[in-house]
Amino acid sequence: MKKLIAVLMLGLVLFIAACSEEGDTEEPETSGATDSDTAEASAETSEATGEKQTVTFWHSMGGAGQEALNAIVDSYNNSQDAVQVNAEYQGTYDEALTKFNSVAGTDSVPNMIQTFEIGTMSMINSGSIVPIQELINADGYDMNGLEENIVNYYSLDGTFYSMPFNSSTPVMYYNKDAFEAAGLDPEAPPETFEEVEEASKAIVESNPDMKGFALQAYGWLYEQLLANQGALLLNNDNGRTDTPTEIGWTEEEGKSIFEWVKRMVDDETFANYGTNGDNMMAGFLAGDVSMFLQSSASSRDVIDHAPFEVGIAFLPHPEAKERAGVVIGGASLWMIDGKSVEEQNAAWDFMKYLQTPEIQAEWHVGTGYFAINPAAYDEQVVKDAYVEMPQLQVTVDQLQATEASYATQGALMDMIPEGRKIMETALETVYNGGDVDDAYNTAVDQFNAAIEQANAARGE
Amino acid sequence: MSLENIVIQDAQIGQINFEQVKKRQRAKSFIKGMLFLLPSIILFSIFLFYPLGRTIYLSFFLTNAAGETTVFIGWQNYVNLFTSPIFMQSMKSTFLFVLYTVPFTIIISLFLAMIANEKLKGIGFFRTVYSSTMGISVAAASVFWLYLFHPSIGLLNMILETLGIDGIGWLTDPDWALFAVSITTIWMNIGFTFLILLGGLQSIDSYLYESADIDGAGYFYKVRRITIPMLSPTLFFVVTVTIINAFQTFGQIDILTQGGPVNSTNLVVYSIYREAFVNYKFGSASAQAVLLFIIILIMTFLQFKFGERKVHYQ
């Protein structure tokens, strides 16, 4: 008997060992891209003869974006013999920025890093970057060829700090088939908060299993809904003329979003997916909700996977306010300091290559991000894609309809990631039946406290 | 006379020598001992003591995004924590989480271990199944549960709906989210706890049961009087480890809820992560880490003081 138990135990141990090996291999699957990329990169480096200038490029594009980006990097490496770009995936924007902060000032820094728009101020404050303005001046490069609204975000006091690369704006996705079934005009999507409410009611009436509208508790969307009313996020012109000291929106502007959501929650036409964007998208694709807001960068994914016809519309605004437009979101490329001039020039050459119309056209169609270079919209690839998916064009129209102002230029400050979390908590409170006034006032207090502390931490 | 003197002198010299030799030998054995300990002292210093000291140091400062100290603010980080409703909420959630997960994990695993300890044909299969969650990584398990919890296409809500009950917002309703994360954690921890408890059960000498059988003891009497006391060292170990693990939960929170909804699952370790690597407030994050360290220290101390009394060592 003892022997049998011993054998059993041994078998168990072996099984567990096998299992845990299996378990271990699961993890790299998510981060596997990093490893294979690095491996590829080092393989390529060793292949490269000494003449080639290597450029290390840290990015945060996973999934479809990574495939599209790797294709572009390969095409660049094959197009000339002087420069070899090694693209390395470093996790999400947050993770990449943390990694960068920990190696800043050492030899391990990359030549280029892709950072999200709200990291702009942290990058400038870090002091380990070269403003691309220096390279623009040295090279005589013309930034005017690029999309004005995108370029506006990344220039501060007339200086360009980073090269815009992947830019997107929020749009409203809606289910055309459901609109038709509810007797709504699928070609005339709701434009204002009030119209969204009406449409939601009609949808729920015609199909009790489908909710009308979903708003992911995502600080970025809150910022966009503010900007669309012409409201500032931070004072001192969104932090563009001086360091912000408090919030920039008025109570009426800030609360309108909460009250809008509250009315739909009370009508039971609102679908609560919390902070999880993937769940919201899955819910939309499964026909559980008829409208939702999300980045235009998802448009290709949504259109490809929906079993019904998808409509894309402009971001809604309160009836009492004019539409002011959207803030550019996404990420830009930063040139890192402390590298040789040859390496910098090589990285600059790659940045310029990314802005060519052909590459931007490929990028736009492959992902749903904008073309930074408007000339890309004349490329045949884009024209063909628009015939097939006319919705893609709406995202571009919305950007071009945006009027340049401090509100739509977007806010600059290093505490914005924290501010987003604060607004997300407040939104979730309302989704779960909390009081609008309480949630709003708590959020504003916390937001102001975060600004104050961020200013104190800079020790100025 | 002179001879006596010499003898006394000799004795004195001998005594002095003896003391010196003793001292020298003690020093020698001290150095030898240190040499043996050196590898672990070096490793501990580099990976534990230095970071611990550094964390305490950081907790008195404000920092920039790179984690460099900028302004000394004394105890202000701690004061802010104790007045922050968010941190208080996160402490409350953490203790609730420990309360939900630890007892259930241990009771369920103990039950499974006891039925798996019966000598039946094919019991190895069941032992393997019961311990199999140990082989699944936190990330994989969380993603698996994420799908079960999905509000519209998740299996759990589908079952509820076929029973005519409204679906539950498992991860979006603040009243349910902590509960949902606890279920996931219990499920994940069962494998490990089961295995340790089964090991403990197997090491109980069978003669104890045999003599109890001769005395005509019933099954539950044997469980109460033999199994539980003999298992107590293992149970004590399992309780301590499970509590510490529960305090340090991170992976499933990051994947399932990211601290939401309305901070209801923002457990301390996740809150530290968010403070340091999303908000770049390393000072405040360090203060939280120090508090967590103190809490776990106190909990473990209390357990050894009060829990160990009931432990029966053979």
Side-chain angles (χ1 to χ4, degrees), chain A residues 71-73 75-77 79-80 139 141-143 145-147 163-165 333 347-365 369-382:
Chain A
I72 292 175
V73 170
S75 78
Y76 175 73
N77 286 337
S79 73
Q80 38 73 44
D139 196 37
Y141 188 74
D142 184 14
M143 290 293 275
L146 305 182
E147 178 78 43
M163 182 63 102
F165 173 54
L333 307 177
W348 173 242
D349 190 58
F350 178 59
M351 280 191 186
K352 285 194 295 188
Y353 176 78
L354 289 176
Q355 303 303 343
T356 54
E358 303 83 54
I359 296 302
Q360 285 295 320
E362 200 183 304
W363 180 241
H364 173 57
V365 173
Y369 282 112
F370 292 124
I372 311 285
N373 190 337
Y377 298 123
D378 299 330
E379 293 283 320
Q380 198 53 43
V381 205
V382 177

Side-chain angles (χ1 to χ4, degrees), chain A residues 160-286:
Chain A
F160 288 109
Y161 282 93
S162 59
M163 182 63 102
F165 173 54
N166 55 318
S167 292
S168 63
T169 56
V171 286
M172 187 169 79
Y173 295 84
Y174 64 99
N175 183 334
K176 282 192 178 177
D177 294 5
F179 266 54
E180 221 157 305
L184 299 165
D185 181 0
E187 300 312 320
E191 289 184 7
T192 64
F193 286 6
E194 288 75 9
E195 284 171 24
V196 169
E197 285 170 48
E198 290 307 314
S200 300
K201 276 185 207 161
I203 297 274
V204 175
E205 249 167 58
S206 79
N207 181 0
D209 287 339
M210 187 187 271
K211 295 282 187 193
F213 185 79
L215 177 66
Q216 181 192 357
Y218 184 19
W220 178 67
L221 289 172
Y222 182 81
E223 287 162 23
Q224 296 287 357
L225 289 166
L226 273 182
N228 206 15
Q229 310 176 27
L232 298 172
L233 182 68
L234 302 167
N235 73 348
N236 291 330
D237 300 324
N238 257 346
R240 286 190 179 260
T241 49
D242 200 1
T243 310
T245 53
E246 58 176 26
I247 58 162
W249 70 81
T250 65
E251 183 164 334
E252 183 209 347
E253 291 161 339
K255 248 189 205 171
S256 67
I257 299 160
F258 285 92
E259 278 160 356
W260 172 47
V261 174
K262 177 74 179 166
R263 288 195 296 271
M264 284 189 286
V265 171
D266 290 345
D267 290 347
E268 296 185 355
T269 58
F270 185 83
N272 176 14
Y273 290 99
T275 51
N276 193 321
D278 293 337
N279 275 356
M280 182 172 68
M281 199 155 21
F284 177 75
L285 296 177

Side-chain angles (χ1 to χ4, degrees), chain A residues 5 8 12 15-16 19 23 94 97-98 101 273-274 279 282 288 417-418 421 425 428-429 432 446 453 456-457 459, chain B residues 62-63 65 70-71 86 119 124 127-128 135 137 150-152 172-174 195 202 261-263 274 277-281:
Chain A
I5 289 172
L8 276 177
L12 202 66
F15 182 82
I16 286 160
C19 269
D94 276 319
L97 195 54
T98 306
N101 277 327
Y273 290 99
N279 275 356
D288 286 325
E418 187 180 2
K421 293 285 175 213
T425 304
E428 279 188 302
T429 312
N432 287 296
Q446 287 176 357
Q453 224 199 343
Chain B
L62 292 177
T63 62
T70 51
V71 187
I86 300 178
K119 294 184 177 83
R127 289 179 184 169
T128 321
S137 74
H150 192 283
S152 43
T172 51
D173 185 337
L195 204 71
Q202 305 242 310
V262 201
N263 288 324
R274 192 195 267 178
F277 300 114
V278 178
N279 301 342
Y280 296 114
K281 284 154 71 173

